[in-house]
Amino acid sequence: VQGSVAKSTFAGLPWLLYLQSWCKRPIHFWPFDGWVVPEGSSVVAEVYPALWMRRFDRDDRDGDEQAAYAVAAWLQRADLNGSLGSYFNPPLTAEEREVAAFEGWILGVV
């Protein structure tokens, strides 16, 4: 729901529980489960597609398609060039990490 974070959060929370209950592979809810993602885990992280949408040609994708494409393409590129790990461990102060571990952090924001 555009402009209404609380409604979106409450709508999404049951899905996180569903994923955690039904996925066979371990799920790491980043950064709440820690800043380091264990080997062999899938990751659920908050992203902000607008960070990357203009970096990739739109072709004939609509806005939502472009957002999904940009996130996937950026993650792939960061993984392939070896920089993805640094985004999971942003250079934050101890105080910032403590707040972010409770409130969350957006993957890709350094």
Side-chain angles (χ1 to χ4, degrees), residues 35-72:
W35 295 94
V36 178
V37 179
E39 189 75 28
S41 295
S42 295
V43 178
V44 173
E46 183 177 2
V47 296
Y48 187 58
L51 290 173
W52 311 305
M53 286 180 63
R54 291 184 190 91
R55 295 183 187 188
F56 301 96
D57 290 336
R58 189 176 186 122
D59 297 327
D60 53 346
R61 289 182 285 274
D62 68 24
D64 291 334
E65 291 168 336
Q66 179 65 8
Y69 176 82
V71 169

Side-chain angles (χ1 to χ4, degrees), residues 75-94:
L75 286 168
Q76 180 185 43
R77 184 169 65 185
D79 186 37
L80 291 173
N81 72 22
S83 67
L84 185 57
S86 65
Y87 289 99
F88 281 112
N89 194 12
L92 303 176
T93 66

Side-chain angles (χ1 to χ4, degrees), residues 3-4 7 39 82:
S4 179
K7 287 181 184 178
E39 189 75 28

